[in-house]
Coordinates of all heavy atoms in Angstrom, one line a residue:
M168 N 162.0 109.1 -91.6 CA 162.5 108.1 -90.7 C 161.5 107.8 -89.6 O 161.0 108.8 -89.0 CB 163.9 108.5 -90.1 CG 164.6 107.4 -89.4 SD 165.2 106.2 -90.6 CE 166.1 105.1 -89.6
H169 N 161.2 106.6 -89.4 CA 160.2 106.3 -88.3 C 160.9 105.9 -87.0 O 162.1 105.7 -87.0 CB 159.3 105.2 -88.8 CG 160.0 103.9 -89.1 ND1 160.3 103.0 -88.1 CD2 160.5 103.4 -90.2 CE1 161.0 102.0 -88.7 NE2 161.1 102.2 -90.0
A170 N 160.2 105.7 -86.0 CA 160.8 105.5 -84.7 C 160.6 104.1 -84.2 O 160.0 103.8 -83.1 CB 160.2 106.5 -83.7
S171 N 161.0 103.1 -85.0 CA 160.9 101.7 -84.6 C 161.9 101.4 -83.4 O 163.0 102.0 -83.4 CB 161.2 100.8 -85.8 OG 161.3 99.4 -85.3
L172 N 161.4 100.6 -82.5 CA 162.3 100.2 -81.4 C 163.3 99.2 -81.9 O 164.3 98.9 -81.1 CB 161.5 99.6 -80.3 CG 160.5 100.6 -79.6 CD1 159.6 99.8 -78.6 CD2 161.2 101.7 -78.9
F173 N 163.2 98.6 -83.1 CA 164.0 97.5 -83.5 C 165.0 98.0 -84.6 O 164.6 98.8 -85.4 CB 163.1 96.4 -84.1 CG 162.2 95.8 -83.0 CD1 160.9 96.3 -82.9 CD2 162.6 94.9 -82.1 CE1 160.0 95.9 -81.9 CE2 161.7 94.4 -81.2 CZ 160.5 94.9 -81.1
R174 N 166.2 97.4 -84.5 CA 167.2 97.7 -85.6 C 168.1 96.6 -85.7 O 168.2 95.7 -84.8 CB 167.9 99.0 -85.2 CG 168.7 98.9 -83.9 CD 169.4 100.1 -83.5 NE 170.0 100.0 -82.2 CZ 171.1 99.4 -81.9 NH1 171.8 98.8 -82.8 NH2 171.5 99.4 -80.6
K175 N 168.8 96.5 -86.8 CA 169.8 95.5 -87.0 C 171.0 95.7 -86.1 O 171.4 96.8 -85.9 CB 170.3 95.5 -88.4 CG 169.2 95.2 -89.4 CD 169.8 95.3 -90.8 CE 168.8 95.2 -91.9 NZ 169.3 95.5 -93.2
I176 N 171.5 94.6 -85.5 CA 172.6 94.8 -84.6 C 173.9 95.0 -85.4 O 174.7 95.9 -85.1 CB 172.8 93.5 -83.7 CG1 171.6 93.5 -82.7 CG2 174.1 93.6 -82.9 CD1 171.6 92.2 -81.9
D177 N 174.1 94.2 -86.5 CA 175.2 94.4 -87.3 C 174.8 94.4 -88.8 O 174.8 93.4 -89.4 CB 176.2 93.2 -87.1 CG 177.5 93.3 -87.9 OD1 177.6 94.4 -88.6 OD2 178.3 92.4 -87.8
P178 N 174.5 95.6 -89.3 CA 173.9 95.7 -90.6 C 174.8 95.3 -91.8 O 174.3 95.0 -92.9 CB 173.5 97.1 -90.7 CG 174.2 97.8 -89.7 CD 174.6 96.8 -88.6
A179 N 176.1 95.2 -91.6 CA 177.0 94.9 -92.7 C 177.4 93.5 -92.8 O 178.3 93.1 -93.6 CB 178.2 95.8 -92.6
R180 N 176.8 92.6 -92.1 CA 177.4 91.2 -91.9 C 177.0 90.3 -93.1 O 177.8 89.4 -93.4 CB 176.9 90.6 -90.6 CG 177.9 89.7 -90.0 CD 177.4 89.3 -88.7 NE 178.6 88.9 -87.9 CZ 178.5 88.5 -86.7 NH1 177.4 88.5 -86.1 NH2 179.6 88.1 -86.1
R181 N 175.8 90.4 -93.6 CA 175.3 89.4 -94.6 C 174.9 90.1 -95.9 O 174.6 91.2 -95.9 CB 174.2 88.6 -94.0 CG 174.6 87.8 -92.8 CD 173.4 87.0 -92.4 NE 173.7 86.3 -91.1 CZ 172.8 85.9 -90.3 NH1 171.5 86.1 -90.5 NH2 173.2 85.2 -89.2
A182 N 174.7 89.2 -96.9 CA 174.3 89.8 -98.2 C 172.9 90.3 -98.1 O 172.1 89.8 -97.3 CB 174.3 88.6 -99.2
E183 N 172.6 91.4 -98.8 CA 171.3 92.0 -98.8 C 170.4 91.3 -99.9 O 170.8 90.9 -100.9 CB 171.4 93.5 -99.1 CG 171.9 94.2 -97.9 CD 171.2 95.6 -97.7 OE1 170.5 96.0 -98.7 OE2 171.3 96.1 -96.6
V184 N 169.1 91.3 -99.5 CA 168.1 90.9 -100.5 C 167.0 92.0 -100.4 O 167.0 92.8 -99.5 CB 167.5 89.5 -100.1 CG1 168.5 88.4 -100.1 CG2 166.8 89.6 -98.7
T185 N 166.2 92.0 -101.4 CA 165.1 93.0 -101.5 C 163.8 92.2 -101.6 O 163.6 91.3 -102.4 CB 165.2 93.9 -102.7 OG1 166.5 94.6 -102.5 CG2 164.1 94.9 -102.7
L186 N 162.9 92.5 -100.7 CA 161.5 91.9 -100.7 C 160.6 93.1 -100.8 O 161.0 94.2 -100.6 CB 161.3 91.0 -99.5 CG 161.4 91.6 -98.2 CD1 160.4 90.8 -97.2 CD2 162.8 91.5 -97.6
T187 N 159.3 92.8 -100.9 CA 158.3 93.9 -100.8 C 157.4 93.6 -99.6 O 157.1 92.4 -99.4 CB 157.5 94.0 -102.1 OG1 156.8 92.8 -102.4 CG2 158.3 94.4 -103.3
V188 N 157.1 94.6 -98.9 CA 156.1 94.5 -97.8 C 155.0 95.5 -98.1 O 155.2 96.7 -98.3 CB 156.8 94.9 -96.5 CG1 155.7 94.9 -95.3 CG2 157.9 94.0 -96.1
A189 N 153.8 95.0 -98.3 CA 152.6 95.7 -98.8 C 153.0 96.5 -100.0 O 152.6 97.7 -100.2 CB 152.2 96.6 -97.6
G190 N 153.7 95.9 -100.9 CA 154.0 96.5 -102.2 C 155.2 97.4 -102.2 O 155.6 97.9 -103.3
L191 N 155.8 97.7 -101.1 CA 156.9 98.7 -101.0 C 158.2 97.9 -100.9 O 158.3 96.9 -100.1 CB 156.8 99.6 -99.9 CG 155.6 100.5 -99.9 CD1 155.4 101.3 -98.6 CD2 155.6 101.4 -101.1
P192 N 159.3 98.2 -101.6 CA 160.6 97.5 -101.5 C 161.2 97.7 -100.2 O 161.2 98.9 -99.6 CB 161.4 98.1 -102.7 CG 160.8 99.4 -103.0 CD 159.3 99.3 -102.6
V193 N 161.8 96.6 -99.6 CA 162.4 96.7 -98.3 C 163.7 95.9 -98.4 O 163.7 94.8 -98.9 CB 161.5 96.1 -97.2 CG1 162.2 96.0 -95.9 CG2 160.2 96.9 -97.1
A194 N 164.8 96.5 -97.9 CA 166.1 95.7 -97.8 C 166.1 94.9 -96.6 O 165.7 95.3 -95.5 CB 167.2 96.7 -97.9
A195 N 166.7 93.7 -96.7 CA 166.9 92.8 -95.6 C 168.2 92.0 -95.8 O 168.8 92.1 -96.8 CB 165.7 91.9 -95.5
Q196 N 168.5 91.3 -94.8 CA 169.8 90.5 -94.9 C 169.4 89.0 -94.9 O 168.5 88.6 -94.2 CB 170.7 90.7 -93.7 CG 171.3 92.1 -93.7 CD 172.1 92.4 -92.5 OE1 171.6 92.3 -91.3 NE2 173.4 92.6 -92.6
Q197 N 170.1 88.3 -95.7 CA 169.9 86.8 -95.8 C 170.0 86.3 -94.4 O 170.8 86.6 -93.6 CB 170.9 86.1 -96.7 CG 170.6 86.3 -98.1 CD 171.6 85.6 -99.0 OE1 172.6 85.1 -98.6 NE2 171.3 85.5 -100.3
G198 N 169.0 85.4 -94.1 CA 169.0 84.7 -92.8 C 168.0 85.4 -91.8 O 167.7 84.8 -90.8
E199 N 167.6 86.6 -92.1 CA 166.6 87.3 -91.2 C 165.3 86.6 -91.4 O 165.0 86.1 -92.5 CB 166.5 88.7 -91.6 CG 167.5 89.6 -91.1 CD 167.1 91.1 -91.3 OE1 167.1 91.6 -92.5 OE2 166.7 91.7 -90.3
S200 N 164.4 86.7 -90.4 CA 163.1 86.2 -90.6 C 162.2 87.4 -91.2 O 162.6 88.5 -91.0 CB 162.5 85.7 -89.3 OG 162.3 86.8 -88.4
V201 N 161.2 87.0 -91.8 CA 160.2 88.0 -92.3 C 159.7 88.8 -91.1 O 159.5 90.1 -91.2 CB 159.1 87.4 -93.1 CG1 158.0 88.4 -93.5 CG2 159.6 86.7 -94.3
A202 N 159.4 88.2 -90.0 CA 158.9 88.9 -88.8 C 159.9 90.0 -88.4 O 159.5 91.1 -88.0 CB 158.7 87.9 -87.7
A203 N 161.2 89.7 -88.4 CA 162.2 90.7 -88.0 C 162.1 91.9 -88.9 O 162.3 93.1 -88.4 CB 163.6 90.1 -88.0
V204 N 161.9 91.7 -90.2 CA 161.8 92.8 -91.1 C 160.6 93.6 -90.8 O 160.6 94.8 -90.8 CB 161.8 92.2 -92.6 CG1 161.5 93.3 -93.6 CG2 163.2 91.6 -92.9
L205 N 159.5 92.9 -90.6 CA 158.2 93.6 -90.3 C 158.4 94.5 -89.1 O 157.9 95.6 -89.0 CB 157.1 92.6 -90.0 CG 156.5 91.9 -91.2 CD1 155.5 90.9 -90.8 CD2 155.8 93.0 -92.1
L206 N 159.0 94.0 -88.0 CA 159.2 94.8 -86.8 C 160.0 96.1 -87.0 O 159.9 97.0 -86.2 CB 159.8 94.0 -85.7 CG 158.9 92.9 -85.1 CD1 159.7 92.0 -84.2 CD2 157.7 93.5 -84.4
R207 N 160.8 96.2 -88.1 CA 161.5 97.4 -88.4 C 160.7 98.4 -89.2 O 161.2 99.5 -89.4 CB 162.8 97.1 -89.1 CG 163.9 96.4 -88.3 CD 165.2 96.5 -88.9 NE 165.3 96.0 -90.2 CZ 165.6 94.8 -90.6 NH1 165.8 93.9 -89.6 NH2 165.6 94.4 -91.8
Q208 N 159.5 98.0 -89.6 CA 158.7 98.9 -90.4 C 157.9 99.9 -89.6 O 157.7 99.6 -88.4 CB 157.8 98.1 -91.3 CG 158.4 97.1 -92.2 CD 159.6 97.6 -93.0 OE1 159.4 98.5 -93.8 NE2 160.8 97.1 -92.8
A209 N 157.6 101.0 -90.1 CA 156.8 102.0 -89.4 C 155.5 101.4 -88.9 O 155.0 101.7 -87.8 CB 156.5 103.2 -90.3
D210 N 154.9 100.6 -89.8 CA 153.7 99.9 -89.4 C 154.1 98.4 -89.2 O 154.2 97.7 -90.2 CB 152.6 100.0 -90.4 CG 151.3 99.2 -90.1 OD1 151.3 98.6 -89.0 OD2 150.4 99.2 -90.9
A211 N 154.3 98.0 -88.0 CA 154.8 96.6 -87.8 C 153.7 95.6 -87.8 O 154.0 94.4 -87.6 CB 155.6 96.6 -86.5
A212 N 152.5 96.0 -88.0 CA 151.4 95.0 -88.0 C 151.6 93.9 -89.0 O 151.9 94.2 -90.2 CB 150.1 95.7 -88.2
S213 N 151.4 92.7 -88.6 CA 151.5 91.6 -89.6 C 150.1 91.1 -90.0 O 149.9 90.7 -91.1 CB 152.2 90.4 -89.0 OG 151.7 90.1 -87.7
R214 N 149.1 91.3 -89.2 CA 147.8 90.9 -89.5 C 146.8 91.7 -88.7 O 147.1 92.4 -87.8 CB 147.6 89.4 -89.2 CG 147.6 89.1 -87.7 CD 147.4 87.6 -87.5 NE 147.3 87.3 -86.1 CZ 146.2 87.1 -85.4 NH1 145.0 87.2 -86.0 NH2 146.2 86.8 -84.1
T215 N 145.5 91.5 -89.0 CA 144.4 92.1 -88.2 C 143.5 90.9 -87.8 O 143.5 89.9 -88.5 CB 143.6 93.1 -88.9 OG1 143.0 92.5 -90.1 CG2 144.4 94.3 -89.3
T216 N 142.9 91.0 -86.6 CA 142.1 89.9 -86.1 C 140.8 89.8 -86.9 O 140.3 90.8 -87.5 CB 141.7 90.2 -84.6 OG1 141.0 91.4 -84.5 CG2 143.0 90.2 -83.8
P217 N 140.3 88.6 -87.0 CA 139.1 88.3 -87.8 C 137.8 89.0 -87.3 O 137.0 89.4 -88.1 CB 138.9 86.8 -87.8 CG 140.2 86.3 -87.4 CD 140.9 87.3 -86.6
V218 N 137.7 89.2 -86.0 CA 136.4 89.7 -85.4 C 136.4 91.2 -85.4 O 135.5 91.9 -85.9 CB 136.1 89.1 -84.0 CG1 134.9 89.7 -83.4 CG2 136.0 87.6 -84.2
H219 N 137.4 91.8 -84.8 CA 137.4 93.3 -84.5 C 138.4 94.0 -85.5 O 138.4 95.3 -85.4 CB 137.8 93.6 -83.1 CG 136.7 93.0 -82.1 ND1 135.5 93.6 -82.0 CD2 136.8 92.0 -81.2 CE1 134.8 92.9 -81.1 NE2 135.6 91.9 -80.6
G220 N 139.2 93.3 -86.2 CA 140.1 94.0 -87.1 C 141.3 94.7 -86.4 O 141.9 95.6 -86.9
S221 N 141.5 94.2 -85.1 CA 142.6 94.8 -84.4 C 144.0 94.4 -84.9 O 144.2 93.2 -85.3 CB 142.6 94.4 -82.9 OG 141.3 94.7 -82.4
P222 N 144.9 95.3 -85.0 CA 146.3 94.9 -85.5 C 147.0 94.1 -84.6 O 147.0 94.2 -83.4 CB 147.0 96.3 -85.7 CG 146.3 97.2 -84.8 CD 144.9 96.7 -84.6
R223 N 147.8 93.2 -85.1 CA 148.7 92.3 -84.4 C 150.1 92.3 -85.0 O 150.2 92.5 -86.2 CB 148.2 90.8 -84.3 CG 146.9 90.6 -83.6 CD 147.1 90.8 -82.1 NE 145.9 90.6 -81.3 CZ 145.1 91.5 -80.9 NH1 145.3 92.8 -81.2 NH2 144.0 91.2 -80.2
A224 N 151.1 92.2 -84.2 CA 152.5 92.2 -84.7 C 153.2 91.0 -84.2 O 152.8 90.4 -83.2 CB 153.2 93.5 -84.3
P225 N 154.3 90.6 -84.8 CA 155.1 89.4 -84.3 C 155.4 89.7 -82.8 O 155.8 90.8 -82.4 CB 156.4 89.5 -85.1 CG 155.9 90.1 -86.4 CD 154.9 91.1 -86.0
F226 N 155.3 88.6 -82.0 CA 155.4 88.7 -80.5 C 156.5 87.7 -80.0 O 157.5 88.1 -79.4 CB 154.1 88.5 -79.8 CG 154.1 88.7 -78.4 CD1 154.4 89.9 -77.8 CD2 153.9 87.6 -77.6 CE1 154.5 90.0 -76.4 CE2 154.0 87.7 -76.2 CZ 154.3 88.9 -75.6
C227 N 156.2 86.4 -80.2 CA 157.1 85.4 -79.5 C 158.3 85.1 -80.3 O 159.4 84.8 -79.8 CB 156.3 84.1 -79.3 SG 156.0 83.2 -80.8
M228 N 158.3 85.3 -81.6 CA 159.4 85.1 -82.5 C 159.9 83.6 -82.5 O 161.0 83.3 -82.9 CB 160.6 86.0 -82.3 CG 160.2 87.5 -82.4 SD 159.6 88.0 -84.0 CE 161.2 88.2 -84.9
M229 N 159.0 82.7 -82.1 CA 159.4 81.3 -82.1 C 158.2 80.3 -82.5 O 158.3 79.2 -82.1 CB 160.0 80.9 -80.7 CG 159.1 81.1 -79.6 SD 159.9 80.7 -78.1 CE 158.6 80.8 -76.9
G230 N 157.2 80.8 -83.2 CA 156.2 79.9 -83.7 C 155.1 79.5 -82.8 O 154.4 78.6 -83.0
V231 N 154.9 80.3 -81.7 CA 153.9 79.9 -80.7 C 152.7 80.7 -80.7 O 151.6 80.2 -80.7 CB 154.6 79.9 -79.3 CG1 153.5 79.6 -78.2 CG2 155.7 78.9 -79.2
C232 N 152.8 82.0 -80.9 CA 151.7 82.9 -80.7 C 150.8 83.1 -81.9 O 149.6 83.5 -81.8 CB 152.1 84.3 -80.2 SG 153.0 85.3 -81.4
F233 N 151.3 82.9 -83.1 CA 150.5 83.1 -84.3 C 150.1 84.5 -84.6 O 149.3 84.7 -85.4 CB 149.3 82.1 -84.4 CG 149.7 80.7 -84.6 CD1 150.1 79.9 -83.5 CD2 149.6 80.1 -85.8 CE1 150.4 78.6 -83.6 CE2 150.0 78.8 -86.0 CZ 150.4 78.0 -84.9
D234 N 150.7 85.5 -83.9 CA 150.3 86.9 -84.2 C 151.1 87.4 -85.4 O 150.9 88.5 -85.9 CB 150.6 87.7 -83.0 CG 149.5 87.7 -82.0 OD1 148.4 87.4 -82.4 OD2 149.7 88.1 -80.9
C235 N 152.0 86.6 -85.9 CA 152.9 87.1 -87.0 C 152.4 86.6 -88.4 O 153.1 86.8 -89.4 CB 154.3 86.6 -86.8 SG 154.5 84.8 -86.9
M236 N 151.2 86.1 -88.5 CA 150.8 85.5 -89.8 C 150.6 86.6 -90.8 O 150.0 87.6 -90.6 CB 149.5 84.8 -89.6 CG 149.6 83.5 -88.8 SD 148.2 82.4 -88.9 CE 146.9 83.5 -88.3
V237 N 151.2 86.3 -92.0 CA 151.1 87.2 -93.2 C 150.9 86.3 -94.4 O 150.8 85.1 -94.4 CB 152.5 87.9 -93.4 CG1 152.7 88.9 -92.2 CG2 153.6 87.0 -93.5
V238 N 150.7 87.0 -95.5 CA 150.6 86.4 -96.8 C 151.9 86.5 -97.5 O 152.4 87.6 -97.7 CB 149.5 87.0 -97.7 CG1 149.4 86.3 -99.0 CG2 148.2 87.0 -96.9
V239 N 152.6 85.4 -97.8 CA 153.9 85.4 -98.4 C 153.8 84.7 -99.8 O 153.3 83.6 -99.9 CB 154.9 84.6 -97.6 CG1 156.3 84.5 -98.4 CG2 155.2 85.3 -96.3
D240 N 154.0 85.5 -100.8 CA 153.9 85.0 -102.2 C 152.6 84.4 -102.4 O 152.5 83.3 -103.1 CB 155.1 84.1 -102.5 CG 156.4 84.8 -102.6 OD1 156.5 86.0 -102.8 OD2 157.4 84.1 -102.3
G241 N 151.5 85.0 -101.9 CA 150.2 84.5 -102.1 C 149.7 83.4 -101.2 O 148.6 83.0 -101.2
V242 N 150.6 82.9 -100.3 CA 150.2 81.9 -99.3 C 149.8 82.5 -98.0 O 150.7 83.1 -97.3 CB 151.4 80.9 -99.1 CG1 151.0 79.8 -98.1 CG2 151.8 80.3 -100.5
A243 N 148.5 82.4 -97.6 CA 148.0 83.0 -96.4 C 148.4 82.2 -95.2 O 148.8 81.1 -95.3 CB 146.5 83.1 -96.5
S244 N 148.3 82.9 -94.0 CA 148.6 82.2 -92.7 C 150.0 81.7 -92.6 O 150.2 80.6 -92.0 CB 147.5 81.2 -92.4 OG 146.2 81.7 -92.3
T245 N 150.9 82.4 -93.2 CA 152.3 82.0 -93.1 C 152.9 82.6 -91.8 O 152.8 83.8 -91.6 CB 153.1 82.4 -94.3 OG1 152.5 81.9 -95.5 CG2 154.6 82.0 -94.2
Q246 N 153.5 81.8 -90.9 CA 154.1 82.4 -89.7 C 155.4 83.1 -90.1 O 156.4 82.4 -90.3 CB 154.3 81.3 -88.7 CG 153.0 80.8 -88.0 CD 153.3 79.7 -87.1 OE1 153.4 78.5 -87.5 NE2 153.5 80.0 -85.8
S247 N 155.4 84.4 -90.1 CA 156.6 85.1 -90.6 C 157.8 85.0 -89.7 O 158.9 85.2 -90.2 CB 156.2 86.6 -90.8 OG 155.9 87.2 -89.5
C248 N 157.7 84.6 -88.5 CA 158.8 84.4 -87.6 C 159.6 83.1 -88.0 O 160.7 82.9 -87.6 CB 158.5 84.4 -86.2 SG 157.4 83.0 -85.6
L249 N 159.0 82.2 -88.8 CA 159.6 80.9 -89.1 C 160.1 80.9 -90.5 O 160.6 79.9 -91.0 CB 158.6 79.8 -88.9 CG 158.0 79.7 -87.5 CD1 157.1 78.5 -87.4 CD2 159.2 79.5 -86.4
V250 N 159.9 82.0 -91.3 CA 160.3 82.0 -92.7 C 161.4 83.0 -92.9 O 161.3 84.2 -92.6 CB 159.0 82.4 -93.5 CG1 159.4 82.6 -95.0 CG2 157.9 81.5 -93.3
P251 N 162.5 82.5 -93.4 CA 163.6 83.5 -93.8 C 163.3 84.3 -95.1 O 162.6 83.8 -95.9 CB 164.8 82.5 -94.0 CG 164.3 81.2 -94.3 CD 162.9 81.1 -93.7
V252 N 163.8 85.5 -95.1 CA 163.6 86.3 -96.3 C 164.3 85.7 -97.5 O 165.3 85.0 -97.4 CB 164.1 87.7 -96.1 CG1 163.3 88.4 -95.0 CG2 165.6 87.8 -95.8
R253 N 163.7 86.0 -98.7 CA 164.3 85.6 -100.0 C 164.2 86.8 -100.9 O 163.3 87.6 -100.8 CB 163.5 84.5 -100.6 CG 163.6 83.1 -100.0 CD 162.9 82.1 -100.9 NE 161.6 82.5 -101.5 CZ 160.5 82.4 -100.9 NH1 160.4 81.9 -99.7 NH2 159.4 82.9 -101.5
D254 N 165.1 86.9 -101.8 CA 165.1 88.0 -102.7 C 163.9 87.9 -103.6 O 163.5 86.8 -104.1 CB 166.4 87.9 -103.6 CG 166.6 89.3 -104.3 OD1 166.5 90.3 -103.6 OD2 167.0 89.3 -105.5
G255 N 163.1 89.0 -103.7 CA 161.9 89.0 -104.6 C 160.7 88.5 -103.9 O 159.6 88.5 -104.5
M256 N 160.7 88.2 -102.6 CA 159.6 87.7 -101.9 C 158.6 88.8 -101.7 O 158.9 90.0 -101.6 CB 160.1 87.3 -100.5 CG 159.1 86.9 -99.5 SD 159.9 86.5 -97.9 CE 160.0 84.8 -98.0
A257 N 157.3 88.5 -101.8 CA 156.2 89.5 -101.7 C 155.4 89.2 -100.4 O 154.8 88.1 -100.3 CB 155.3 89.5 -102.9
V258 N 155.5 90.1 -99.5 CA 154.8 89.9 -98.2 C 153.7 90.9 -98.1 O 153.8 92.1 -98.3 CB 155.8 90.2 -97.0 CG1 155.1 90.1 -95.7 CG2 157.0 89.2 -97.1
E259 N 152.5 90.4 -97.8 CA 151.3 91.3 -97.6 C 150.8 91.0 -96.2 O 150.8 89.9 -95.7 CB 150.2 90.9 -98.6 CG 150.6 91.1 -100.0 CD 150.8 92.6 -100.4 OE1 150.1 93.5 -99.7 OE2 151.5 92.9 -101.3
R260 N 150.3 92.0 -95.6 CA 149.6 91.9 -94.3 C 148.3 91.1 -94.4 O 147.7 91.2 -95.5 CB 149.3 93.2 -93.6 CG 150.6 93.9 -93.3 CD 150.5 95.2 -92.5 NE 151.8 95.6 -92.1 CZ 152.6 96.4 -92.8 NH1 152.2 96.9 -93.9 NH2 153.8 96.7 -92.3
Q261 N 148.0 90.2 -93.5 CA 146.8 89.4 -93.6 C 145.7 90.1 -92.8 O 145.7 90.2 -91.6 CB 147.1 88.0 -93.0 CG 145.9 87.1 -93.1 CD 146.4 85.6 -92.9 OE1 147.3 85.2 -93.5 NE2 145.6 84.9 -92.1
N262 N 144.7 90.5 -93.5 CA 143.6 91.2 -92.9 C 142.4 90.3 -92.7 O 141.8 89.7 -93.6 CB 143.1 92.4 -93.9 CG 144.2 93.4 -94.0 OD1 144.8 93.8 -93.0 ND2 144.5 93.8 -95.2
G263 N 142.1 90.1 -91.4 CA 140.9 89.3 -91.0 C 141.1 87.9 -91.2 O 142.2 87.3 -91.2
R264 N 140.0 87.2 -91.5 CA 140.0 85.8 -91.7 C 140.7 85.4 -93.0 O 140.5 86.0 -94.0 CB 138.6 85.3 -91.6 CG 138.4 83.8 -91.7 CD 137.0 83.4 -91.4 NE 136.6 83.8 -90.0 CZ 135.5 84.5 -89.7 NH1 134.7 84.8 -90.6 NH2 135.3 84.8 -88.5
R265 N 141.4 84.3 -93.0 CA 142.0 83.8 -94.2 C 140.9 83.2 -95.1 O 140.0 82.5 -94.7 CB 143.0 82.7 -93.8 CG 143.5 81.9 -95.0 CD 144.3 80.7 -94.5 NE 144.5 79.8 -95.6 CZ 144.9 78.6 -95.5 NH1 145.2 78.1 -94.3 NH2 145.1 77.8 -96.6
S266 N 141.0 83.5 -96.4 CA 140.1 82.9 -97.3 C 140.5 81.5 -97.6 O 141.7 81.2 -97.8 CB 140.1 83.8 -98.6 OG 139.3 83.1 -99.6
V267 N 139.5 80.6 -97.7 CA 139.8 79.2 -98.0 C 139.6 79.0 -99.5 O 139.8 77.9 -100.0 CB 139.0 78.2 -97.1 CG1 139.4 78.3 -95.7 CG2 137.5 78.5 -97.3
L268 N 139.0 80.0 -100.2 CA 138.8 79.8 -101.6 C 139.8 80.6 -102.3 O 140.0 81.8 -102.1 CB 137.4 80.4 -102.0 CG 136.2 79.7 -101.2 CD1 134.9 80.4 -101.5 CD2 136.2 78.2 -101.6
S269 N 140.6 80.0 -103.2 CA 141.6 80.8 -104.0 C 141.9 80.1 -105.3 O 141.5 79.1 -105.5 CB 142.8 81.1 -103.2 OG 143.4 79.9 -102.8
Ligands
LIG850 S1 155.9 85.7 -83.6 FE1 154.7 84.2 -82.5 S2 154.3 82.7 -83.9 FE2 155.5 84.1 -85.0

């Protein structure tokens, strides 16, 4: 068990879905944002900066800071605070600069 500061307020309220974060299965509730799920993980980092590789985690939770960018189902630079979880979703941390070639 890790020591995240974040937890679900009412864990039994909504249907559960399973997504993967960095390849590991994670349970979440329908309606949660991907950022909320990331903040409950032992490593809450969503991305690293392009220049120094410093970790960043969701901060504003309203689409302003861009620190929550992740790769969702292969789509880079997705703001995880604006995306609700889906069953089977694959979330990867975004390391450094986004590739424009894919
Ligand atoms: S947490 Fe700030 S834009 Fe998503």
